[in-house]
Amino acid sequence: QVQLVESGGGLVQAGGSLRLSCVASGRTTRAYAMGWFRQAPGKEREWVGAITRSGDRTSYADSVRGRFTISRNNAENTLYLQMNSLKPEDTAVYYCASSSPGHVLASRASEYDYWGQGTQVTVSS
């Protein structure tokens, strides 16, 4: 069983920054691609971005590309999401996820088999 625990969410003004962390336990997550998703009230869960097993490649949704950066520290089983130039429309619960085997960069929720509990990010205007 895998456990993913996010932290780092909070309230920030538009234009500010936050760094989310996701600590994994229970399996060697360095063997799997990982990703971030978000879900705003009344909306479907949205893919934010993903990172390969080794961390050498990343991919992002158009809505966050150039503002958000995903990284990972495999020695510490930790995934990060650095969010800069935050906008009110970035307000959501953010989830980290570990992909199922065989995916290099996964962009669909169905390609992930373990999820964190989520952390709230609120951006005020």
Side-chain angles (χ1 to χ4, degrees), residues 12-36:
V12 63
Q13 288 188 332
S17 298
L18 279 176
R19 188 193 197 201
L20 305 184
S21 299
C22 171
V23 178
S25 61
R27 80 172 178 186
T28 305
T29 53
R30 67 175 66 93
Y32 303 91
M34 296 191 73
W36 289 96

Side-chain angles (χ1 to χ4, degrees), residues 4 20 23 25 35 38 45 53 58-59 65 67 69-70 72 81 88 91 94 97 99 103 108-110 118 125:
L4 303 173
L20 305 184
V23 178
S25 61
R38 67 185 182 185
R45 188 167 296 192
R53 294 181 298 174
T58 53
S59 182
R65 187 176 295 113
R67 300 187 298 121
T69 302
I70 296 174
R72 66 191 298 169
L81 178 65
T91 295
Y94 283 72
S99 76
H103 298 291
R108 291 189 291 267
S110 60
S125 57

Side-chain angles (χ1 to χ4, degrees), residues 7 12 26 50 54 66 71-72 79 93 101 106 111 122:
S7 62
V12 63
S54 65
S71 61
R72 66 191 298 169
L79 176 72
V93 176
E111 296 172 329
T122 303

Side-chain angles (χ1 to χ4, degrees), residues 85-105:
S85 302
L86 283 161
K87 305 175 181 180
E89 52 263 42
D90 294 319
T91 295
V93 176
Y94 283 72
Y95 300 89
C96 67
S98 180
S99 76
S100 52
H103 298 291
V104 177
L105 282 171

Side-chain angles (χ1 to χ4, degrees), residues 31-47:
Y32 303 91
M34 296 191 73
W36 289 96
F37 288 75
R38 67 185 182 185
Q39 188 166 19
K43 295 187 177 181
E44 293 186 355
R45 188 167 296 192
E46 174 191 20
W47 175 72

